[in-house]
Amino acid sequence: HLAPGLFDRMAPAMEGLRHAVLALAKDPGHPFHHMPPPPAVVQAVRSQAKALRKETETLVVVGIGGSSLGPKVLCSRQGSAVRFLEGVDPETLSGRIADVPWARAALNIVSKSGGTLETLTNAALALEQLKRAAPERWRHRVVVTASPGEGRLQQWALEEGIPILDIPAGVGGRYSVLTAVGLLPAAFDGIDPAAIVAGARAGADKALLLQGAANPALTLARVLFSLYSQGKLEVDLWGYGQRCHLLARWLQQLWGESLGRRLGEGPAAPRVGPTPLACLGSEDQHSLLQLFVDGPPHRWVLLFTADSGGPALSPAARAFAGLPERALNAGTVQRALWRGTERALVEARVPTARYHLGAPDAAALGEAFFVFMAATLYAAALFEVDPFGQPGVEAGKRLTRDFLESGA
């Protein structure tokens, strides 16, 4: 559903770019070298997950942004044993903490720097509950995931004898899902971390070795850059189903923080960056599709879909809902919904693409994570920006601390 000839016009430049990114992946000093991780990381994660599982049934992950968005994709199955404490919402935080069965709970505190304000605040509250519930065993139920350094969290863990799983120093939070950040919660939840890594390696083969339109990462980068150059400044990431929506939210952060940049110093410097917006399934068909079809033409849509059956629909249920006999389950209905949205967008001449996960298992998710991270590197080279810093975010963190200390 994209402009014809889009790939052919950029093929020579993209092939050179592929070789450049492949070289980065082979450089031990580059963050991309750590994705996917080596077997030792998988073994360490398995060991910690097994130790936590010996005496607990629930894992509370305290983190925010890249420290939680990726793990939430992996641990989004119904009945997951993993819960997440993210933002500091005074109206709901007490209830969310009280809902945790602390007598059988473990805690994973995740902060790359060891100084993330929301994470430290939530961790402090969670630790109080854990210490009350298990005063003699609480240290055996806590794991910290952070980069090597002297942050507040790392220092506390060393003083208390709390194990620390490393985030490689050069890997930013939004790129960390294939490290212990994502692998430990997944392992606790019964997902084989080796399967995630195997999927990521399959994604690496596609994203780094394949040429032209057969390479999904190159394709995504070319689409993103070409459509932005044509005035499509917004990309709507539309996930059908909870897991696909969470994947869209993870990508929203990855592209938002990696590609939004000033090209130079000072307020007058040119600014680039497509604006990603995550949307949720048929819920947002009823709130945003009208705008996307008939509104201003400054956007394109990337759909995320997966194969899923869901609850069966009996003949009586189909009769009540007015569904045909071929509608055997909820998955059939959802497929018709996203296909209807896709067709409506195409007929309205809104550029539309789709990433299909197939069966959204560990390997498929590992592959998707790597493909989108590689696509981000390719796109950053086209936009001529550094995809690894986040000066705007750091400015916000600094100002937040200033307000707290001044009492403003």
Side-chain angles (χ1 to χ4, degrees), residues 168-222:
V171 177
R174 59 189 180 274
Y175 293 95
S176 66
V177 63
L178 296 176
T179 71
V181 170
L183 299 182
L184 177 63
F188 187 94
D189 213 22
I191 302 168
D192 183 2
I196 300 171
V197 172
R201 294 195 186 283
D205 288 343
K206 294 178 180 180
L208 300 178
L209 302 181
L210 296 182
Q211 300 181 28
N215 184 317
L218 279 175
T219 298
L220 280 165
R222 283 184 287 192

Side-chain angles (χ1 to χ4, degrees), residues 137-393:
R137 299 289 298 170
W138 71 269
R139 290 180 180 84
H140 298 272
R141 299 186 180 187
V142 182
V143 175
V144 164
T145 308
S147 284
E150 299 181 356
R152 180 183 295 270
L153 182 60
Q154 292 93 323
Q155 289 300 307
W156 170 82
L158 289 172
E159 292 168 4
E160 295 288 352
I162 304 297
I164 301 176
L165 291 174
D166 282 345
I167 305 171
V171 177
R174 59 189 180 274
Y175 293 95
S176 66
V177 63
L178 296 176
T179 71
V181 170
L183 299 182
L184 177 63
F188 187 94
D189 213 22
I191 302 168
D192 183 2
I196 300 171
V197 172
R201 294 195 186 283
D205 288 343
K206 294 178 180 180
L208 300 178
L209 302 181
L210 296 182
Q211 300 181 28
N215 184 317
L218 279 175
T219 298
L220 280 165
R222 283 184 287 192
V223 169
L224 190 64
F225 180 74
S226 297
L227 292 177
Y228 183 87
S229 301
Q230 297 169 31
K232 307 297 183 182
L233 307 184
E234 178 179 295
V235 50
D236 299 301
L237 310 169
W238 205 329
Y240 271 76
Q242 178 174 308
R243 195 187 297 270
C244 287
H245 174 60
L246 290 170
L247 181 63
R249 289 195 60 211
W250 171 81
L251 184 58
Q252 176 180 260
Q253 183 201 15
L254 181 64
W255 281 356
E257 289 192 350
S258 301
L259 302 178
R261 289 289 187 272
R262 291 181 182 176
L263 300 178
E265 301 294 332
R271 303 174 186 227
V272 300
T275 299
L277 174 67
C279 309
L280 174 60
S282 63
E283 291 88 333
D284 280 332
Q285 281 181 229
H286 295 273
S287 61
L288 292 173
L289 184 55
Q290 172 61 38
L291 172 65
F292 293 175
V293 167
D294 285 341
H298 65 275
R299 61 174 53 84
W300 68 281
V301 175
L302 176 58
L303 294 164
F304 294 86
T305 60
D307 295 328
S308 181
L313 293 168
S314 67
R318 291 197 298 271
F320 177 84
L323 296 171
E325 290 186 7
R326 69 175 66 92
L328 299 178
N329 51 43
T332 309
V333 177
Q334 172 137 291
R335 178 179 174 84
L337 285 163
W338 65 251
R339 291 190 70 180
T341 295
E342 185 177 52
R343 180 63 60 86
L345 292 166
V346 171
E347 291 181 355
R349 303 182 68 82
V350 178
T352 306
R354 180 162 57 88
Y355 188 95
H356 188 65
L357 283 169
D361 56 16
L365 292 171
E367 178 178 322
F369 286 134
F370 193 97
V371 165
F372 282 107
M373 287 191 285
T376 304
L377 265 66
Y378 290 134
L382 294 171
F383 282 105
E384 298 182 346
V385 298
D386 175 9
F388 291 106
Q390 52 179 41
V393 176

Side-chain angles (χ1 to χ4, degrees), residues 11-140:
M14 296 306 290
E15 184 58 15
L17 186 56
R18 184 182 69 82
H19 283 287
V21 172
L22 180 59
L24 293 178
K26 295 178 179 179
D27 179 2
H30 192 275
F32 210 54
H33 180 74
H34 302 279
M35 301 173 279
V41 173
V42 173
Q43 184 56 42
V45 161
R46 280 178 171 159
S47 176
Q48 288 295 340
K50 183 178 180 181
L52 294 176
R53 268 295 192 178
K54 282 184 178 179
E55 58 182 274
T56 65
E57 298 171 352
T58 300
L59 178 66
V60 179
V61 177
V62 182
I64 198 166
S67 297
S68 63
L69 288 172
K72 286 176 79 172
V73 178
L74 293 166
C75 302
S76 60
R77 65 177 178 85
Q78 189 171 3
S80 171
V82 181
R83 304 190 186 192
F84 293 87
L85 278 178
E86 297 174 284
V88 182
D89 179 0
E91 294 188 9
T92 64
L93 186 53
S94 295
R96 285 185 289 141
I97 292 175
D99 284 344
V100 174
W102 289 106
R104 297 288 292 169
L107 194 61
N108 179 207
I109 308 171
V110 188
S111 172
K112 175 179 168 58
S113 66
T116 307
L117 179 61
E118 300 95 325
T119 299
L120 292 177
T121 301
N122 286 335
L125 295 169
L127 280 165
E128 288 182 345
Q129 298 297 319
L130 187 60
K131 289 176 181 179
R132 290 193 190 104
E136 304 298 325
R137 299 289 298 170
W138 71 269
R139 290 180 180 84
H140 298 272

